[in-house]
Amino acid sequence: VTQAAKDDLIAVAEKSNPVLKYYDPLQLASTTIWGETNEATIGFLRHAEVKHGRVAMAAFVGYIVQSNGLHFPFPIDFAGNPYPYAAGSPPEQWDALSDPAKWQILLFIGFLEWFSEAAGTHYMRGGKPGDFPNFSDNKDLIPHPVPLNLFDPFGLSAKKSEAQKAEGLIKELNNGRLAQIGIIAFLSEQKVEGSVPLLKGLVPHYNGEPMAPFS
């Protein structure tokens, strides 16, 4: 086990949850995956948590926005069709999208995933877990000019001290963990009524398959 990587993991765990502190009942931080080193494995696990937390935060906020009928005022396509806000709950709004619209979203996400793996120093090779490379630093991988970076497009984070960035990471981890619970709670209650008692009656039943995007 690479002690430095594990020590850093323990320090982050204790800061993010001073009550529970470091908790690893499955001993994931002591194992290796795909024949990689333990340090690379810890990097993978930490990066996965940050990434899933960010996706969940976007999903949770998006769910709230869509549930309240908020949408862009302009048409969704050249035919002049409006956004499917009238279709019902967020999963039903997704179902109402055309297949080309769904593919555009999924392919864009796939591009971001590929770019994050191909650019910069990889998180399993000494890179910082959760760090998304700048478009501006990897123009050779971008098919056309991109005026703003995905992460910190206006350079606000660059002005912060290392201590402020470390504190921000802890907040992001905790918010991401809570968002993961929140979004899966919404979807679970919609699919299996009563599965989340606190949400009973607050979200409508959904007859579709939330994990099958083209169903």
Side-chain angles (χ1 to χ4, degrees):
V1 176
T2 304
Q3 197 58 42
K6 191 169 184 179
D7 287 345
D8 189 40
L9 178 66
I10 293 174
V12 170
E14 291 178 346
K15 290 178 182 177
S16 63
N17 194 325
V19 177
L20 187 61
K21 295 185 178 182
Y22 179 68
Y23 183 67
D24 184 20
L26 298 180
Q27 296 296 304
L28 294 177
S30 300
T31 190
T32 57
I33 55 176
W34 304 315
E36 295 285 351
T37 64
N38 177 253
E39 183 177 12
T41 300
I42 290 176
F44 173 85
L45 295 172
R46 290 188 61 186
H47 186 80
E49 181 179 26
V50 174
K51 181 188 294 183
H52 282 80
R54 288 171 178 167
V55 171
M57 285 188 281
F60 185 84
V61 172
Y63 189 100
I64 297 297
V65 169
Q66 289 180 252
S67 295
N68 286 277
L70 301 177
H71 60 89
F72 291 114
F74 45 81
I76 195 173
D77 55 30
F78 292 117
N81 294 312
Y83 281 81
Y85 61 91
S89 65
E92 291 165 322
Q93 292 180 43
W94 170 265
D95 291 341
L97 288 173
S98 65
D99 283 354
K102 293 177 180 179
W103 276 115
Q104 287 181 55
I105 296 171
L106 295 176
L107 289 174
F108 177 67
I109 294 172
F111 166 75
L112 294 179
E113 181 71 11
W114 168 81
F115 181 81
S116 69
E117 294 289 320
T121 303
H122 199 271
Y123 48 86
M124 295 179 71
R125 298 290 181 268
K128 183 179 179 181
D131 187 37
F132 193 91
N134 290 329
F135 294 139
S136 58
D137 296 334
N138 300 275
K139 295 180 180 179
D140 56 318
L141 299 176
I142 306 296
H144 59 76
V146 179
L148 298 173
N149 291 311
L150 180 67
F151 178 76
D152 193 25
F154 303 110
L156 300 178
S157 180
K159 302 175 183 178
K160 294 182 179 180
S161 66
E162 290 302 315
Q164 289 175 315
K165 292 180 181 179
E167 184 181 0
L169 173 63
I170 300 303
K171 293 178 180 178
E172 182 180 32
L173 283 172
N174 285 333
N175 289 335
R177 291 166 181 169
L178 189 58
Q180 290 177 71
I181 296 173
I183 189 60
I184 202 65
F186 279 141
L187 296 177
S188 297
E189 178 60 27
Q190 280 201 262
K191 191 64 181 175
V192 183
E193 294 182 48
S195 60
V196 184
L198 292 176
L199 295 177
K200 189 174 183 179
L202 296 179
V203 294
H205 180 71
Y206 173 58
N207 290 318
E209 295 295 335
M211 299 303 172
F214 293 96
S215 62

